């Protein structure tokens, strides 16, 4: 099995790194090269809670995230909120989001983003989300550390990428994890096998399994940055 050790979940890393800012009073100037970080995320977490999030960060080349003075960011012609979130460590995270404006991210739907600067310049970017939802992930509630694990998912679309994430815990403390891209056969069958070697560490008592699908959007030629739609499901399994 092809595996890649990773330090953090990609999306969290990108948002945290891209949306961190030391000075919460900065505004975008028209001379600032624009980097846009646009994310649509639809996730069913381990408790079964459905989470929808649409967010945009605008970054300068040296500054942190910047607010657009006398401008806006819209998604499907809905003006997004600019918010400042203070983390427990005191760090300010700035972003535009659609909380309370769009209840759910829909599959196979086009989302158009319009960024308007104070001088009237407009940048348009768009994405059509994944063809179908991710609604089902089958993971055993309990797993013997001496046996291979079989997981499966309902949706089988071989043209869409599927990534499998494995995180191991001991008393809720993260020990290690990896990510693997499901191959064509696995995507067709909707099945994936995790060898028992992954459970040999006697410390681990729980693992979380997550599958994700990613799709890139089309950024305006005047922008650089990252633009993607992510659908995810995560389940917990106790190790015996």
């Amino acid at each position: 099995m092809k595996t890649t050790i990773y330090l953090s979940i990609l999306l969290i890393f990108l948002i945290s790194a891209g949306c961190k800012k030391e000075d919460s009073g900065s505004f975008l100037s028209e001379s600032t090269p624009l980097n846009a970080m646009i994310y649509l995320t639809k996730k069913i977490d381990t408790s079964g809670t459905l989470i929808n999030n649409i967010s945009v960060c605008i970054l300068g080349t040296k500054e942190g995230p910047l607010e657009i003075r006398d401008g806006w960011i819209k998604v499907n012609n809905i003006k997004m909120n600019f918010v400042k979130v203070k983390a427990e460590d005191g760090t300010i995270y700035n972003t535009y989001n659609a909380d309370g404006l769009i209840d759910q991210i829909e599959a196979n739907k086009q989302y158009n983003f319009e960024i308007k600067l104070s001088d009237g310049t407009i940048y348009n970017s768009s994405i059509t989300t994944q063809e179908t939802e991710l609604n089902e992930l089958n993971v055993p509630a309990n797993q013997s550390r001496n046996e291979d694990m079989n997981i499966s998912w309902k949706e089988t679309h071989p043209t869409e990428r599927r990534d499998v994430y494995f995180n191991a815990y001991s008393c809720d403390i993260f020990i290690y994890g990896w990510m693997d891209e499901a191959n064509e056969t696995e995507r067709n069958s909707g099945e994936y096998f995790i060898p028992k070697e992954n459970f040999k560490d006697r410390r681990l008592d729980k693992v979380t399994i997550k599958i994700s699908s990613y799709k890139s959007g089309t950024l305006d030629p005047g922008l650089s940055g990252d633009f993607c739609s992510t659908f995810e499901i995560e389940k917990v399994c106790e190790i015996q």
Side-chain angles (χ1 to χ4, degrees), residues 138-175:
N138 301 304
V139 173
N142 297 283
Q143 171 70 30
S144 168
R145 66 180 69 248
N146 299 314
E147 297 179 0
D148 297 337
M149 177 189 286
N150 171 237
I151 67 170
S152 63
W153 52 87
K154 181 179 179 180
E155 296 77 15
T156 55
H157 293 276
T159 59
E160 289 188 8
R161 175 174 170 172
R162 290 286 184 274
D163 289 338
V164 178
Y165 290 83
F166 176 101
N167 287 321
Y169 296 86
S170 175
C171 299
D172 293 324
I173 299 174
F174 176 77
I175 304 175

Side-chain angles (χ1 to χ4, degrees), residues 69-105:
R69 192 194 300 271
D70 301 324
W72 67 62
I73 298 180
K74 293 182 178 181
V75 54
N76 289 355
N77 210 34
I78 299 172
K79 188 175 180 180
M80 299 178 69
N81 306 310
F82 178 78
V83 296
K84 300 179 180 181
V85 179
K86 189 173 184 179
E88 292 182 0
D89 64 359
T91 303
I92 301 296
Y93 294 88
N94 290 346
T95 185
Y96 289 81
N97 68 38
D99 293 354
L101 305 174
I102 295 178
D103 292 332
Q104 286 200 40
I105 297 169

